[in-house]
Every structure is written in C-alpha cells, then in structure tokens.
Amino acid sequence: MGKRFDSGARTGVRTGVVIVGAGPAGLVLGNLLLDRGIDCVILERRGREAVEGRARAGFLAAHSVRVLTQHGLADGLSARGRTHQTCLFRSERGEFTLDYGALGRGEVHTVYPQQELVRDLLAEYLRRGGDIRFDTEVEEITEDGRVRVSDGADGAGGTDVVGRYVAGCDGHRGVARATMAAHGTRTARWDHGVSWLAVLVEAPPSLDAVGYALHERGFAGHMARTATATRYYLQCPRGNDPADWSEDRIWSELATRLRTDEFGVLKDGPVLEKAVVDLRSDVLDDLGAGRLWLAGDAAGLISPSAAKGANLAVLQAERLARALVSALTRDDESDLARYAADCLPRVWRAHEFSHWMSGLLHGPSAEDTGNTVDARARYGRALQYARLDSLRTSRTHQDFFAENYTGI
C-alpha cells in the first residue's frame, strides 16, 4: 500500500510505481514488482466486473507462458489452458493443415481466454497485497510522477497518486500515450484497410485447428476459446454497424466462406457478442522518458491478424519490471535507458509478421472489384494464392511461418 499524504484541497498516495491500466500489461507488471518487494498502485478507469469480463485474445506464445510460469502466475493456464499447434487454410483450391508445432523452433500456443488470464493475474495481485483502484479516471500525468485523479464531476478536491515512476498500460487511447505524444514522441502508423466483424458464440469449436478461410467475399476465421465458446471473424466493409449483422446472416456468411458444403457444417449457437474491428497498427518511437514508461497497447497497437497483442504486453511488462526494479533498488537507470532498444526490434518483428499475415488473408479491396474483372484485383488475388501455395509446399517457408507465428 502507498503512503497517504494531504496537500491542501487534494489528498494523495505516494508509492514506488503508479501503474495506469489493469489489462495484461499492467497486471503482469504489478505482480512482478510486488514479487520483488516494489510498492505499486494500479489505477483502472473501469469497474472490476468490466475488467474481468472483457473477452479478448486467447493465444499465448511459448515466451509468455515461460514468463508467467517463472513468476508464479500460470496456475490457471496450466490447469485449464490447452496447447495448440495446428492451423488450417481453406480456399477455392482446397484445404491443408500445417502442424506448426513440429516446424521452426517446435513451439506451440497455449489457448487460454484473456479474461481468464486477467482474473488470475488480478487475484494473485490482490493475494500479494497489491493496491488497485477501480472506477478511477486519470486526468493528467505530470513530469514529476504525479498522476492526477478526479474525485468529482467538477474536478474539485481530487487525489494525487505520486510515484517515483509511472507505467502507462492504459491502451492506445489512454492518458499515458497522449502524454508522451504531447511531449513530441512520434508514432509510426499503418492502416491495413481491412475491418473484421469479431463474433463470440456459445458453441464448441468446429475445427481441431485454427481456421483461416480465403474467399472472394472476404476472409473468415475460426479460433477456439473454450470447450463451450468459439471466436469467429468475418471480413466486412469499413464502417459496418454490428447491429446490421443478424445471427442468421453471420452463420450464413460463415458457412459460405468456410465452405461447409465441402468440408462439413459448423457447430452453431447463440451469438454472445459482436463488434467491428478496424485493422490498424502503430508503434511509438520512444517507449518512455524520465518518470513515464509505456507497455502494452499504450506503447504500440498491433492488428489482430497474428494474435501478438497480449504476448507483446507480457514481453514489455517483463522487461519494464526488470528495469524499474534496478532503478528503485539500486538507483540504476541503465536498464530503463535500454528498455526501448531492448523491446522495439522484437516489436517490429511481430509487426512485420502481422503485416505479412494480413496480406495472406485478405484479397483485393472493395475498390479493386466491381461489375467487371479488374486487372489490379486479379493481380492481388493471384499474389494471395501464390503466398498460400508457397506456404503449402515449401518447408523453408513453413519453418519461417512457424517460428514467427509462435515467436515474440
């Protein structure tokens, strides 16, 4: 727990590290700091129920599993997670399955829904005596490590949480990133020009593997989550309203793109949630300076096409924890100075592969096709199938895919 203080109209808490955001990055970081005896406070704008219930990615890379296991954070995923090592591709040219666990470095994924991981991390953080403040809106992060929190609609009174360092883990729209941008940090951005309808259904997985379907109507994806829930993706036009997608329309489009008439029906069930996701990526040139350091989506947003987001968050949380421990216990900031240089090459490697996957999965855009066959559309479609054919036939390409698909 931080030490309280009173300064005029504003009360406050002093601590070693103020962590803004209780997603995977913030919770892994908080647990690792507590494990090393570093006092910290997590501030989260949402309530606990919303934090624990948000369904997101569910594929953990081998590196993430190692980090969580080494720090006593893997009991849940060890008990309930399922290893996964195959993916299949469907197209008008047929279907093939790739056993990526037998290729490359021989690494596999562990399928474990992110909301369950978050619940595990939060429970362990509290068990270790961690301090977390839900429903707490951060107004400002100052250069002296002061995080200003409003306690009322008019901002009167309020609370200051002051840390020797601040870890911004509050996402790509959060205050931490905005603070870095306001101080001149540049961001490299890419819009993939693709949108997905992300659908979570109450139904068992229909495939033994992750499924990627290439179709002239757009990409479709099948991702196992639990024995009773499955995630599907449907490529859709930019700006689509999820409300326009009825359950009948969703299942009909999935059947068409996944070619159920050829490969077998899907196990259907009620739609639990649906949302449109625009595939965009960005990376900040600097991941921190002075008292403020970023991790997770606050440091860079990656498209979901290769399931790298949560794994980058774990990587960055581990590296940032190590650097903050050195700074706070030995007054040595050399690891903080190297934090960006340590993380960014691996971040950019993940982005490169995610970008490659986007090119593999998505054919020509709507602007390239119409009532007549367009030369650009034909060229783009041919390239897409050339990539797929190379992945099907080339062992060298398969090893490259496996290493990057599971690596981080």
mmCIF file of all heavy atoms in Angstrom, residues 82-84 87 148 186 268 283 291 354 395:
data_model
loop_
_atom_site.group_PDB
_atom_site.id
_atom_site.type_symbol
_atom_site.label_atom_id
_atom_site.label_comp_id
_atom_site.label_asym_id
_atom_site.label_seq_id
_atom_site.Cartn_x
_atom_site.Cartn_y
_atom_site.Cartn_z
ATOM 1 N N ARG A 82 -5.105 -25.024 -23.000
ATOM 2 C CA ARG A 82 -4.924 -26.168 -23.901
ATOM 3 C C ARG A 82 -3.857 -25.831 -24.939
ATOM 4 O O ARG A 82 -3.913 -24.767 -25.548
ATOM 5 C CB ARG A 82 -6.241 -26.507 -24.603
ATOM 6 C CG ARG A 82 -7.321 -27.018 -23.657
ATOM 7 C CD ARG A 82 -8.655 -27.204 -24.349
ATOM 8 N NE ARG A 82 -9.201 -25.931 -24.816
ATOM 9 C CZ ARG A 82 -9.357 -25.614 -26.091
ATOM 10 N NH1 ARG A 82 -8.983 -26.452 -27.040
ATOM 11 N NH2 ARG A 82 -9.875 -24.451 -26.423
ATOM 12 N N THR A 83 -2.902 -26.716 -25.095
ATOM 13 C CA THR A 83 -1.880 -26.464 -26.105
ATOM 14 C C THR A 83 -2.472 -26.644 -27.493
ATOM 15 O O THR A 83 -3.369 -27.457 -27.710
ATOM 16 C CB THR A 83 -0.678 -27.406 -25.928
ATOM 17 O OG1 THR A 83 -1.121 -28.759 -25.988
ATOM 18 C CG2 THR A 83 0.013 -27.148 -24.610
ATOM 19 N N HIS A 84 -1.940 -25.855 -28.434
ATOM 20 C CA HIS A 84 -2.468 -25.835 -29.791
ATOM 21 C C HIS A 84 -1.292 -25.704 -30.744
ATOM 22 O O HIS A 84 -0.441 -24.838 -30.558
ATOM 23 C CB HIS A 84 -3.403 -24.634 -29.942
ATOM 24 C CG HIS A 84 -4.534 -24.870 -30.890
ATOM 25 N ND1 HIS A 84 -4.341 -25.170 -32.208
ATOM 26 C CD2 HIS A 84 -5.874 -24.835 -30.708
ATOM 27 C CE1 HIS A 84 -5.520 -25.312 -32.800
ATOM 28 N NE2 HIS A 84 -6.466 -25.113 -31.908
ATOM 29 N N CYS A 87 -2.798 -25.247 -37.626
ATOM 30 C CA CYS A 87 -3.734 -24.306 -38.239
ATOM 31 C C CYS A 87 -4.042 -24.824 -39.643
ATOM 32 O O CYS A 87 -3.223 -25.518 -40.263
ATOM 33 C CB CYS A 87 -3.184 -22.884 -38.284
ATOM 34 S SG CYS A 87 -1.626 -22.668 -39.156
ATOM 35 N N ARG A 148 -2.857 12.609 -11.605
ATOM 36 C CA ARG A 148 -3.980 13.346 -11.036
ATOM 37 C C ARG A 148 -5.280 12.621 -11.354
ATOM 38 O O ARG A 148 -5.577 12.316 -12.497
ATOM 39 C CB ARG A 148 -4.004 14.773 -11.575
ATOM 40 C CG ARG A 148 -2.635 15.429 -11.600
ATOM 41 C CD ARG A 148 -2.695 16.916 -11.417
ATOM 42 N NE ARG A 148 -2.904 17.235 -10.015
ATOM 43 C CZ ARG A 148 -2.737 18.476 -9.523
ATOM 44 N NH1 ARG A 148 -2.413 19.466 -10.317
ATOM 45 N NH2 ARG A 148 -2.944 18.694 -8.251
ATOM 46 N N ARG A 186 7.046 10.687 -31.545
ATOM 47 C CA ARG A 186 6.419 10.390 -32.831
ATOM 48 C C ARG A 186 5.886 8.969 -32.861
ATOM 49 O O ARG A 186 6.359 8.094 -32.144
ATOM 50 C CB ARG A 186 7.423 10.595 -33.966
ATOM 51 C CG ARG A 186 7.956 12.020 -34.090
ATOM 52 C CD ARG A 186 8.802 12.164 -35.337
ATOM 53 N NE ARG A 186 9.862 11.152 -35.402
ATOM 54 C CZ ARG A 186 10.609 10.920 -36.477
ATOM 55 N NH1 ARG A 186 10.378 11.594 -37.593
ATOM 56 N NH2 ARG A 186 11.560 10.000 -36.444
ATOM 57 N N ASP A 268 -23.181 -24.566 -34.367
ATOM 58 C CA ASP A 268 -23.657 -23.212 -34.124
ATOM 59 C C ASP A 268 -24.224 -23.071 -32.717
ATOM 60 O O ASP A 268 -24.372 -24.036 -31.967
ATOM 61 C CB ASP A 268 -24.679 -22.779 -35.179
ATOM 62 C CG ASP A 268 -25.928 -23.645 -35.151
ATOM 63 O OD1 ASP A 268 -26.052 -24.503 -34.269
ATOM 64 O OD2 ASP A 268 -26.785 -23.446 -36.030
ATOM 65 N N VAL A 283 3.355 2.104 -33.747
ATOM 66 C CA VAL A 283 4.433 1.903 -32.789
ATOM 67 C C VAL A 283 5.016 3.268 -32.440
ATOM 68 O O VAL A 283 5.321 4.063 -33.342
ATOM 69 C CB VAL A 283 5.553 1.005 -33.356
ATOM 70 C CG1 VAL A 283 6.667 0.823 -32.316
ATOM 71 C CG2 VAL A 283 5.008 -0.349 -33.775
ATOM 72 N N ARG A 291 10.146 9.908 -15.861
ATOM 73 C CA ARG A 291 9.376 9.094 -14.913
ATOM 74 C C ARG A 291 8.304 8.244 -15.589
ATOM 75 O O ARG A 291 7.751 7.352 -14.960
ATOM 76 C CB ARG A 291 8.713 10.003 -13.866
ATOM 77 C CG ARG A 291 9.687 10.699 -12.929
ATOM 78 C CD ARG A 291 8.932 11.588 -11.957
ATOM 79 N NE ARG A 291 9.824 12.298 -11.059
ATOM 80 C CZ ARG A 291 10.051 11.946 -9.793
ATOM 81 N NH1 ARG A 291 9.479 10.857 -9.302
ATOM 82 N NH2 ARG A 291 10.839 12.649 -9.025
ATOM 83 N N SER A 354 2.741 -9.778 -38.635
ATOM 84 C CA SER A 354 1.314 -9.454 -38.650
ATOM 85 C C SER A 354 0.919 -8.819 -39.978
ATOM 86 O O SER A 354 -0.147 -9.119 -40.537
ATOM 87 C CB SER A 354 0.989 -8.509 -37.482
ATOM 88 O OG SER A 354 -0.374 -8.150 -37.483
ATOM 89 N N ARG A 395 9.061 -26.238 -47.370
ATOM 90 C CA ARG A 395 9.438 -26.478 -45.967
ATOM 91 C C ARG A 395 10.138 -25.256 -45.379
ATOM 92 O O ARG A 395 9.954 -24.909 -44.204
ATOM 93 C CB ARG A 395 10.332 -27.713 -45.869
ATOM 94 C CG ARG A 395 10.900 -27.985 -44.471
ATOM 95 C CD ARG A 395 9.806 -28.184 -43.421
ATOM 96 N NE ARG A 395 10.350 -28.230 -42.083
ATOM 97 C CZ ARG A 395 10.623 -29.357 -41.414
ATOM 98 N NH1 ARG A 395 10.416 -30.541 -41.997
ATOM 99 N NH2 ARG A 395 11.107 -29.312 -40.197
#
